[in-house]
Amino acid sequence: MVQNLSKVVAQDQKFLNIINGRQVPALSQETITVLCPSDGLAFTSIPASRAEDVDHAVRAARAAFDNGLWSRMAAVERGRLLTKLGHLIEQNSEELAALESRDTGKPIRQGRADVAAAMRYYEFYGGAADKIHGDTIPFNEGYTALTLREPHGVVAGIIPWNYPMQIMARVVGAALAMGNTLVIKPAEDASLSTIRIGELAIEAGFPDGVLNIVTGYGRDAGAALSAHAGVDYLTFTGSPATGTAIQQAAATNNRGVTMELGGKSPQIVFADADIEKALPVLVNAIIQNGGQTCSAGSRVLIERSIYNDVAGALADRFAKLVAGPHDSDLDLGAMINPAQKRRVEAYVSAATEAGIELVARGTIAGDAPATGYYVSPVLFGSVDPSAVIAQEEVFGPVLSLFSFNDENDAIRLANGTEYGLVAGVWTRDGARQHRVAKRVRAGQVYINAYGAGGGIELPFGGFKKSGHGREKGFEALYDMSATKTIVFRHD
Ligand code: ADP
């Protein structure tokens, strides 16, 4: 166990890019100061990479792809290396959890959950590497036709700051299992665990250039990577606006993309639901990671006859929620940066000024440093479905409640935003479970449950503005490869 979470980074510890198996600073030697969201204090730095660093990394990934050491390695051996990386993460799990927690401000137990999920990704994709295969296709007499699943080549993975370790793991696991090589660009606000896992990959014995990591600002390193002609495929998780910019850059080279762009996910609570079972899940779905979760359940739709009871029970729970430092391990930590804190606060004050009923509010721990980026959780009631707070992704601990009249009304409300990532449905009626699951436009639908984070095996991705392509599970292996058809004539 790491006894003192703020001691997780040693005085002389350096966080550097990883290019071609070596740890290197940015060519300019410039750095970005790393601040802990819990107190706003600097504790280390990362390279502020630019286009020239990105170019080195892409060239290293290209050379590693072309030399075939990775792409032509027996799939079982690729899988073994991914599994070995998972084991190294397990051996360093407390350090990684503490690092992630200090870097992002998330409570330490969430850091531990993230490490556990990351390990599972490497285990899953390590095991899957030699279990994905093509087809043989009935074709004309005198021919045999078959398909191979081939790697794209060099994949770029642009990672957000909310769950860096988990999102890196799902990208690295699927891309490398299929024989691609990678350049990862973590978010400028949360790069430390990515770098540490890159170091562990060197220790595991991945060939040089297979997994490159370049840190830096989105407008510099991220933009250069998205537009680089040496990249064959891109995968991105983050905001819709940045997703558009990345797709436009990728389009200049006509490259394929996987986009996971957030949501405004509903949970529908019917009058026949097991409310006691639902309540903690409804709260956790918006409070986990301070609501900075793509799949956050930010809208709860409640059947009118039970609206007052459910709203009252949620209000009781919200009033008891406490935000505080990552090492205090409270209900939620700080927001990632001052801009995110201001953004959440602006949504809350605009909604309040628009006359939306603020039903309950949590608190910020008395001993939380004033220099930390805390916001208290907020519950809004009887929200008009056309209100800004009902339509836009806040990415903070803000939950909106709505009432509905019947099943059709619930589905209309659930589908009534531009997003379509995840949905929850709470009802004991089996036929209704099936009907609603089919009619809700979301990439994942949970019945009497909610939660995407842990589901390593479950395909994940959006409809509509939430993006396209699928991550996680076997589906990600299809995104991370291209089908080649081979036809033999033998008449
Ligand atoms: P936020 O706005 O909350 O920082 P983003 O979706 O913009 O979230 O960031 C997710 C990732 O995208 C980060 O790694 C960030 O550096 C990167 N990024 C931001 N802007 C760009 C861009 N124009 N091109 C490529 N990557 C970018």
Side-chain angles (χ1 to χ4, degrees):
M1 294 284 267
V2 173
Q3 295 302 329
N4 183 344
L5 296 183
S6 46
K7 292 269 169 5
V8 61
V9 175
Q11 279 287 328
D12 57 350
Q13 191 170 352
K14 290 237 176 312
F15 291 91
L16 297 172
N17 287 334
I18 297 180
I19 299 178
N20 207 25
R22 276 174 281 285
Q23 295 171 260
V24 290
L27 287 167
S28 67
Q29 305 292 327
E30 284 172 6
T31 57
I32 299 170
T33 302
V34 174
L35 309 174
C36 174
S38 299
D39 54 18
L41 299 179
F43 66 101
T44 187
S45 67
I46 54 170
S49 310
R50 293 179 184 277
E52 64 261 25
D53 304 291
V54 167
D55 187 52
H56 274 190
V58 173
R59 283 172 194 276
R62 168 62 51 201
F65 185 75
D66 289 346
N67 73 25
L69 277 179
W70 184 250
S71 58
R72 293 202 294 273
M73 182 185 280
V76 64
E77 295 296 340
R78 284 202 301 265
R80 278 186 186 138
L81 272 171
L82 286 167
T83 307
K84 188 167 174 193
L85 178 55
H87 289 154
L88 287 173
I89 291 172
E90 187 168 24
Q91 283 162 24
N92 293 278
S93 56
E94 268 302 302
E95 180 219 333
L96 286 165
L99 191 63
E100 190 83 319
S101 166
R102 188 170 184 200
D103 200 16
T104 61
K106 61 179 72 187
I108 181 65
R109 71 179 181 291
Q110 183 62 46
R112 292 191 179 114
D114 292 355
V115 180
M119 284 176 338
R120 276 286 293 132
Y121 279 114
Y122 292 108
E123 183 179 48
F124 180 86
Y125 287 113
D130 62 348
K131 293 169 192 67
I132 185 139
H133 45 72
D135 293 318
T136 52
I137 301 172
F139 192 54
N140 296 347
E141 183 60 23
Y143 291 83
T144 297
L146 57 86
T147 60
L148 301 180
R149 289 235 148 241
E150 298 222 330
H152 294 293
V154 175
V155 173
I158 299 180
I159 309 287
W161 43 258
N162 56 348
Y163 294 92
M165 211 170 351
Q166 287 205 44
I167 294 174
M168 175 195 189
R170 73 194 193 199
V171 169
V172 172
L176 295 193
M178 293 312 294
N180 300 284
T181 58
L182 258 175
V183 178
I184 295 280
K185 209 299 278 175
E188 50 271 41
D189 282 314
S191 294
L192 302 184
S193 62
T194 307
I195 293 172
R196 273 298 289 138
I197 288 171
E199 293 170 7
L200 294 176
I202 296 176
E203 196 179 325
F206 282 79
D208 290 347
V210 167
L211 175 58
N212 304 279
I213 293 160
V214 185
T215 64
Y217 292 110
R219 61 175 180 271
D220 297 327
L225 185 58
S226 325
H228 202 296
V231 169
D232 296 301
Y233 192 87
L234 289 99
T235 176
F236 170 71
T237 300
S239 62
T242 303
T244 303
I246 291 173
Q247 289 178 86
Q248 284 167 340
T252 59
N253 301 309
N254 287 321
R255 296 301 193 252
V257 294
T258 298
M259 290 278 137
E260 200 267 86
L261 305 176
K264 192 72 189 173
S265 297
Q267 299 219 51
I268 309 173
V269 186
F270 287 97
D272 69 338
D274 182 337
I275 303 300
E276 287 312 310
K277 205 185 235 176
L279 285 172
V281 181
L282 297 176
V283 174
N284 185 56
I286 187 67
I287 291 307
Q288 179 181 321
N289 218 44
Q292 302 168 117
T293 304
C294 317
S295 55
S298 53
R299 297 185 294 146
V300 174
L301 321 181
I302 308 166
E303 192 158 2
R304 198 171 297 283
S305 62
I306 56 162
Y307 179 87
N308 286 340
D309 290 349
V310 175
L314 286 172
D316 289 345
R317 286 171 184 256
F318 256 72
K320 292 189 188 112
L321 293 170
V322 186
H326 60 285
D327 41 3
S328 302
D329 210 14
L330 303 173
D331 299 302
L332 64 160
M335 299 290 98
I336 189 73
N337 58 31
Q340 189 63 19
K341 171 182 156 74
R342 284 194 299 273
R343 178 186 149 92
V344 175
E345 286 171 346
Y347 271 112
V348 171
S349 25
T352 318
E353 277 156 30
I356 296 174
E357 178 194 359
L358 197 155
V359 179
R361 186 157 210 165
T363 52
I364 296 169
D367 62 351
T371 46
Y373 318 137
Y374 301 98
V375 296
S376 53
V378 172
L379 181 66
F380 284 116
S382 305
V383 179
D384 180 330
S386 64
V388 172
I389 200 84
Q391 291 291 326
E392 294 187 8
E393 186 180 37
V394 176
F395 229 56
V398 180
L399 181 62
S400 299
L401 306 182
F402 306 79
S403 58
F404 66 84
N405 298 320
D406 57 22
E407 193 175 305
N408 280 330
D409 198 24
I411 292 165
R412 184 183 58 79
L413 284 179
N415 291 337
T417 74
E418 288 187 284
Y419 291 96
L421 193 58
V422 179
V425 184
W426 296 86
T427 176
R428 290 184 168 101
D429 179 336
R432 171 179 277 160
Q433 293 171 358
H434 285 269
R435 279 195 306 270
V436 178
K438 286 194 172 162
R439 288 184 60 197
V440 169
R441 297 272 290 162
Q444 287 191 336
V445 182
Y446 291 86
I447 311 296
N448 296 328
Y450 193 89
I456 275 73
E457 312 82 349
L458 310 176
F460 179 65
F463 287 86
K464 304 192 283 184
K465 196 176 170 180
S466 292
H468 43 85
R470 291 291 176 266
E471 298 195 272
K472 302 188 173 189
F474 261 65
E475 291 277 333
L477 298 166
Y478 302 136
D479 269 34
M480 286 298 160
S481 58
T483 301
K484 177 184 280 178
T485 306
I486 304 180
V487 180
F488 299 87
R489 178 175 166 183
H490 42 70
D491 54 359

